[in-house]
């Protein structure tokens, strides 16, 4: 009887071990799916499956080691979300050998777990105003229509007029306002969802810090009319001033620009290999009069996703102006977290691109178009809700 009792206890211990192993694996799969969905939402790492597998490995389930298999799928292959490209599915398995169970059942005991997480509404917003209290933190007037239904507006101000629309202005995408909106003279909000008194939206670039700024370059930031100039990354201590049909070709990298950035009168700037323009000072940036800015932000590194950016402690009253038929062929973010960004007079971005605008205050006047197709570019989505487990 003692032998039988000890055998039953041992068998119970093995079964308990399997149950424990399954629970441990399920917890790892849950965390891995949620981490993968969050990476997908934030755009980093670009290959979200790396994040899922790293989380599973940290929990003790390393893909390919000790017969562990961790598979990451998008879209899911099973369940009610199969074929839906928004969720991330993680399937984990590891066979277990149980000595006493083998007396009753041949072969290894397969232990597996599966989890599915749905990304948050990360791709809803391409405009974000960060000022916590300002009235008119986002201001649209005079027939401005933010017409892309996938390009929403988020406002973190608690003011009753945090979002301010006048004179036939309209937003066709979703809206999230921490305070409230004010509409007049045929202004309208027609997107979905529309949320006032909502939670604030996190600045996805809040943790970005400047790298060490190099010494002043010997390159010139000026050129004669109709000239073509090739520039390399560096610190332009005298700033940039290009006018009258100048073409500026930029090699990939970061450009630290002091004192001035004045581009106008048919100037073309080409920097599509991974370029960040950094406004290193408290001056006003002006892109005007048919300027064409062709910039693709880097997809990796410190400045991933950032196309044009200002200093975090820059003077808050400065306004940066993109106006008078300026065409912004930007894949990246126009980022001035403590300053005002103004698009007016037909300033626009190219349809099919990926442009975000983040500023302390954002003002849009007279026919402005922004587009938002950022997956895989390194641009971090602006999200108001987090990923969540659904299976």
């Amino acid at each position: 009887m003692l032998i039988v009792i000890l055998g039953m206890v041992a068998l119970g211990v093995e079964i308990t071990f399997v149950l424990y192993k399954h629970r441990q694996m399920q917890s790892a799969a849950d965390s891995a799916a949620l981490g993968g969905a969050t990476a997908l939402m934030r755009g980093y790492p670009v290959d979200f499956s790396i994040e899922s597998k790293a989380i599973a490995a940290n929990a003790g389930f390393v893909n390919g080691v000790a017969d562990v298999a961790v598979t990451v799928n998008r879209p899911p292959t099973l369940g009610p979300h199969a074929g839906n490209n928004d969720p991330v599915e993680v399937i984990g398995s590891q066979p277990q050998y149980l000595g006493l169970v083998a007396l009753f059942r041949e072969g290894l005991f397969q232990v597996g777990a599966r989890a599915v997480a749905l990304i948050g509404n990360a791709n809803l917003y391409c405009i974000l105003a960060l000022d916590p209290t300002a009235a008119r933190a986002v201001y649209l007037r005079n027939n401005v229509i933010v017409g892309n239904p996938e390009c929403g507006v988020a406002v973190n101000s608690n003011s009753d007029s945090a979002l301010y629309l006048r004179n036939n202005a309209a937003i066709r995408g979703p809206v999230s306002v921490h305070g409230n909106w004010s509409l007049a003279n045929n202004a309208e909000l027609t997107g979905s969802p529309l949320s006032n008194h909502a939670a604030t939206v996190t600045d996805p670039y809040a943790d970005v810090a400047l790298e060490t700024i190099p010494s002043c370059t010997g390159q010139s930031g000026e050129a004669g009319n109709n000239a073509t100039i090739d520039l390399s990354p560096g610190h332009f201590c005298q700033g940039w001033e290009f006018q009258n049909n100048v073409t500026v070709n930029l090699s990939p990298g970061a450009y630290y620009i002091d004192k001035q950035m004045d581009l106008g009168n048919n100037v073309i700037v080409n920097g599509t290999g991974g370029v960040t323009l950094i406004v290193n000072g408290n001056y006003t940036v002006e892109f005007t009069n048919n300027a064409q800015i062709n910039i693709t932000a880097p997809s990796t590194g410190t400045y991933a996703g950032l196309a044009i950016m200002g200093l975090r402690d820059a003077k808050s009253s400065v306004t940066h102006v993109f106006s008078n038929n300026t065409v912004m062929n930007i894949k990246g973010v126009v980022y001035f977290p403590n300053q005002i960004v103004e698009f007016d007079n037909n300033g626009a971005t190219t349809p099919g691109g990926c442009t975000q605008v983040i500023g302390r205050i954002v003002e849009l006047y007279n026919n402005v178009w922004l587009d938002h197709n950022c997956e895989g570019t390194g641009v971090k989505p602006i999200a108001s809700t987090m990923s969540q487990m659904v299976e």
Side-chain angles (χ1 to χ4, degrees), residues 221-311:
E222 297 181 354
N225 295 346
N226 306 304
T228 296
I229 183 171
D230 298 328
L231 297 178
S232 299
H235 184 188
F236 291 79
C237 295
Q238 299 305 311
W240 283 4
E241 184 175 10
F242 298 116
Q243 300 287 333
N244 302 327
N245 306 302
V246 170
T247 297
V248 183
N249 298 316
L250 305 177
S251 297
Y255 293 76
Y256 300 87
I257 303 168
D258 299 358
K259 293 188 177 180
Q260 61 178 341
M261 192 190 303
D262 190 357
L263 310 176
N265 298 335
N266 305 303
V267 166
I268 298 174
V269 177
N270 298 314
T272 58
V275 165
T276 302
L277 306 182
I278 300 167
V279 179
N280 190 38
N282 288 311
Y283 59 88
T284 294
V285 169
E286 292 191 88
F287 291 178
T288 62
N289 301 337
N290 305 303
Q292 182 170 319
I293 314 301
N294 307 312
I295 293 178
T296 298
S299 60
T300 59
T302 301
Y303 301 134
L306 292 163
I308 305 172
M309 63 176 289
L311 304 180

Side-chain angles (χ1 to χ4, degrees), residues 6 43 53 72 74 97 100 142 162 169 182 236 239 241 252 281 320 334 346 358 377 381:
L6 290 174
K53 291 181 178 179
V72 183
R74 178 189 180 221
Y97 176 76
L100 288 175
N142 300 344
S182 174
F236 291 79
E241 184 175 10
H320 302 290
V334 178
N346 304 306
I358 300 177
T377 63

Side-chain angles (χ1 to χ4, degrees), residues 33-43 48 74 81 84-88 116-125 150 174 193 201 372 375 380-390:
L34 192 59
T38 300
L40 181 62
M41 182 183 72
R42 296 188 178 279
F48 61 92
R74 178 189 180 221
H81 293 89
N84 182 349
N85 208 40
D86 289 336
V88 173
V116 177
L118 182 66
I119 64 173
N121 57 349
N123 295 317
L124 289 179
Y125 305 110
E150 297 181 356
V201 174
H372 191 52
E375 186 172 332
K380 299 178 181 180
I382 301 171
S384 65
T385 63
M386 300 303 295
S387 303
Q388 58 183 321
M389 298 298 302
V390 292

Side-chain angles (χ1 to χ4, degrees), residues 312-353:
R312 200 169 302 283
D313 59 353
K315 189 175 180 180
S316 62
S317 61
V318 171
T319 300
H320 302 290
V321 181
F322 305 86
S323 68
N324 297 340
N325 303 304
T326 293
V327 176
M328 308 290 288
N329 295 327
I330 288 180
K331 290 185 179 180
V333 186
V334 178
Y335 184 65
F336 293 97
N338 199 43
Q339 295 180 311
I340 303 167
V341 183
E342 178 183 321
F343 281 75
D344 64 36
N345 298 337
N346 304 306
T349 65
T350 300

